[in-house]
Amino acid sequence: MRANLSTTTRQTLSAVRNLGILAHVDAGKTTVTERILFATGSTHKRGEVHDGTTVTDFDPQERDRGITIFAAAVSCDWAGHRINLIDTPGHVDFTDEVERSLRVLDGAVAGFDAVAGVEPQSESVWRQADRYGVPRIAFVNKLDRAGADLDTAVASIRERLHATPLTVQLPIGAEDGFVGVVDLLRLRALLWDDGAGGSTGVQEGPVPAELRDEALRRRRLLEETVAGLHPGALEEFCTEATLSAPTLAAALRDLTASGEAVVVLCGSAYRNRGIEPLLDAVVAYLPSPLDVPAVRGSNDATSGEVVERAADPAAPLSALVFKVSSAATGRLTYLRVYSGTLRKGDTVLDPGARRTERIGRILRVQADRHADVDQAVAGDIVAVIGPKSARAGATLCAPGAPLLLEPPGTAEPVVSVAVEASRSSDAERLTGLLARLVEEDPSLGVRTDPETGQTVLSGMGELHLEVAVEKLRRAHDLEVRVGRPQVAYRETVARGVTGLVHRHVKQEGGAGQFAHVVVDVEPFEPTGETAGERTVETAGADFAFRSTVTGGRVPQEYVRAFEAGCREALAEGPLGGHRVTGVRVTLTDGATHPKDSSDLAFRAAGRFALREALRACVMVLLEPVVEVTVTVPEEAVGSVLGDLAARRGRVSGSTVRGGTSVVTATVPLAELFGYATRLRSRTQGRGTFTARPSGYAPAPASGTADPSRAAGSAAR
């Protein structure tokens, strides 16, 4: 239920916008953020990515590489509204940063390149926003580039994202002559002129005569489309044969909130054109904390009872940690406050870890700068100092009213390298620093190879691991040696077994252990549908379990213990100790002993029975594959296609766009190591590529000799 808020509280919360900037790498996210800060008066000089002077890309590695690596939060004010904005990374290796940010946002601006349209990572972050139900508006950027075309970019939004775009602006001028836009809602022209010292101003005027007919045609098309989607707009359209600007704006807000359509604006952030209307659209169409559903969670770490908390400062505290980082001021824990009020000195509960934490300081964040505040209320995004062990994804709540929120998902690492300290005296220090890296970035993983004893660092890609290792060197002054990258293989069942009998009997004085089970093992393709089974089935992303035992031969509590044992057995497969995926286990029969059967016995039986069954199955080694999009000059296409074929790539498409060719292919991840350097050499530095995970595929027969055991190969 929605809380009965006071008028003042409701007005305050309705004037808050928590949003993120989402886009493909190099689509201009950080530049858009910089121009928003400049337009709102939060900064007095426009920062540039190529100069390393941006507010949000403050990390030395971000400035050196010219890309966003870490999500950065900033705040600004526009038209009486408080905008809390998160600039997210665009590179696929840092998609986990985007995932954690999306979990705490109420809305987003999706940026698109006016030349390239929807690019691979644009599509990935769009799907991430779909999963969390985050309303979006679109901003087609870089309209001043050669080959820029708003209609083509909008068509790619419709075709590739399966969205309904509602374009509310018409560009004035093309490419280098782009000077402004026509606002189709109010039928007015907005023009920008470059002033001295980098300042800019927007001027409002009538629609240019040469564009008036086209503007009226597009306005009519917008009205018809909105009327077909929105009942209130349809009623006015049928009565008046047109839609007023207020009705159209209200309908656009409703359609944005429901996700039925996406409002599209355009501009050139680099030339500071289109930012003020974008800010107006953020205020007009994206939701406030009051407009999104109340946050839901369980009342403690074990209960399944669902509890709702509305965005009410007077309600019990509930907040979600989405980022942890180290700074000169100490360990910063970034969180979104969903309900209640957080004050300095408060003691809060982490229900997942079942421990309390004390809040020492509360900080309003402006990228790498911070300002102390006394409290944070529902709807705020802040950083706190004090919590010692709260991780990203943890819930912080009032001790007297426990609430556990669902954490954001974390992707499994797919690339690993062996790391060791250059000096043996730094070995212990390296262990501690790696643990801190994993704490700050949950998409990293650290383990010790059982055969070689080496420390193995895992991540989402080569760049991800390079950044982590470079952070050790720069931030902590630690010299490390790094081995060759290795991919994370998986194993799956190609042909299963039926009726495998396993008896677990153990007697060593006192109570013994007894479990008798009969199992079937078969391949499993997750479909999201598990209904229709005779008894019960539980499914995960890579494993399904069901029991068809009848007559109470195996009590339900033992069935659950047996399933837990099976899940433990998935950690190491028979081919090379890789994680097993795509398996369905069916418990068909079993027997118990009146004294010696227990949860422990059936858990052990599940572990040993599945291991035995997997050894009897026909197993296949899987390797991670990625979808690669390569953009090259037309004359270099032949060379690039040959190189992709040599890397076991399967080309799925090729298009020509503005004198360049765009090739799409599926390539094993292991074959892409060093590809960026090879591509540059084959195209005289003019070729670029992007990659995004595309799942797993069977590895070549020669790969079954366990190609990944070298993950801990000699560090160098």
Side-chain angles (χ1 to χ4, degrees), residues 347-412:
T347 297
V348 296
L349 173 68
D350 179 347
R354 295 187 178 275
R355 61 175 294 165
T356 57
E357 302 272 14
R358 185 179 180 278
I359 305 300
R361 295 170 63 191
I362 302 175
L363 306 174
R364 184 76 64 187
V365 181
Q366 197 75 356
D368 59 337
R369 301 190 301 274
H370 316 101
D372 282 85
V373 294
D374 292 329
Q375 65 179 29
V377 300
D380 276 341
I381 293 178
V382 295
V384 298
I385 296 177
K388 297 292 190 289
S389 62
R391 301 291 187 94
T395 302
L396 299 181
C397 60
L403 181 73
L404 184 66
L405 303 176
E406 181 183 355
T410 301
E412 284 192 39

Side-chain angles (χ1 to χ4, degrees), residues 219 222-224 226-227 232-234 236-237 241-245 247-248:
R219 164 63 186 253
L222 177 64
E223 290 178 355
E224 292 173 352
V226 170
L234 178 61
E236 180 175 314
F237 188 78
T242 188
L243 291 179
S244 65
T247 299
L248 194 53

Side-chain angles (χ1 to χ4, degrees), residues 94-112:
F94 309 106
T95 188
D96 216 55
E97 284 273 320
V98 182
E99 187 89 8
R100 294 194 297 274
S101 299
L102 279 169
R103 176 64 178 82
V104 300
L105 295 176
D106 299 327
V109 174
F112 301 96

Side-chain angles (χ1 to χ4, degrees), residues 15-220:
V16 173
R17 298 291 184 273
N18 293 316
L19 68 133
I21 307 291
L22 314 174
H24 185 88
V25 64
D26 288 335
K29 295 179 305 303
T30 299
T31 303
V32 170
T33 304
E34 288 296 315
R35 299 309 185 258
I36 286 176
L37 294 176
F38 181 73
T40 57
S42 298
T43 59
H44 302 290
K45 182 179 180 182
R46 294 181 291 180
E48 305 293 352
V49 173
H50 54 269
D51 291 335
T53 57
T54 59
V55 172
T56 53
D57 284 355
F58 57 85
D59 186 88
Q61 288 201 71
E62 293 179 311
R63 293 186 168 178
D64 289 350
R65 298 175 186 270
I67 61 172
T68 300
I69 296 173
F70 309 106
V74 293
S75 297
C76 56
D77 296 302
W78 179 258
H81 289 71
R82 182 73 172 176
I83 298 175
N84 298 317
L85 188 152
I86 297 180
D87 179 20
T88 65
H91 197 283
V92 66
D93 281 18
F94 309 106
T95 188
D96 216 55
E97 284 273 320
V98 182
E99 187 89 8
R100 294 194 297 274
S101 299
L102 279 169
R103 176 64 178 82
V104 300
L105 295 176
D106 299 327
V109 174
F112 301 96
D113 188 309
V115 177
V118 176
E119 297 172 274
Q121 187 60 11
S122 306
E123 193 170 348
S124 295
V125 297
W126 188 272
R127 302 302 176 214
Q128 286 177 293
D130 280 342
R131 286 200 300 274
Y132 289 107
V134 176
R136 280 140 283 172
I137 60 176
F139 181 69
V140 178
N141 192 22
K142 303 188 178 183
L143 273 178
D144 58 321
R145 284 185 59 194
D149 187 86
L150 175 62
D151 291 339
T152 302
V154 170
S156 71
I157 293 174
R158 181 183 296 107
E159 294 162 8
R160 297 200 60 177
L161 303 180
H162 307 292
T164 302
L166 300 174
T167 308
V168 298
Q169 292 177 341
L170 171 66
I172 300 176
E175 300 181 350
D176 193 52
F178 171 68
V179 295
V181 299
V182 174
D183 175 2
L184 297 180
L185 267 72
R186 295 171 178 80
L187 288 176
R188 57 177 180 167
L190 300 174
L191 301 171
W192 285 267
D193 59 87
D194 295 325
S199 63
T200 60
V202 57
Q203 299 176 355
E204 182 178 337
V207 178
E210 65 273 17
L211 290 177
R212 184 156 186 85
D213 288 345
E214 179 64 12
L216 290 172
R217 185 186 72 83
R218 293 189 179 228
R219 164 63 186 253
R220 183 67 176 180

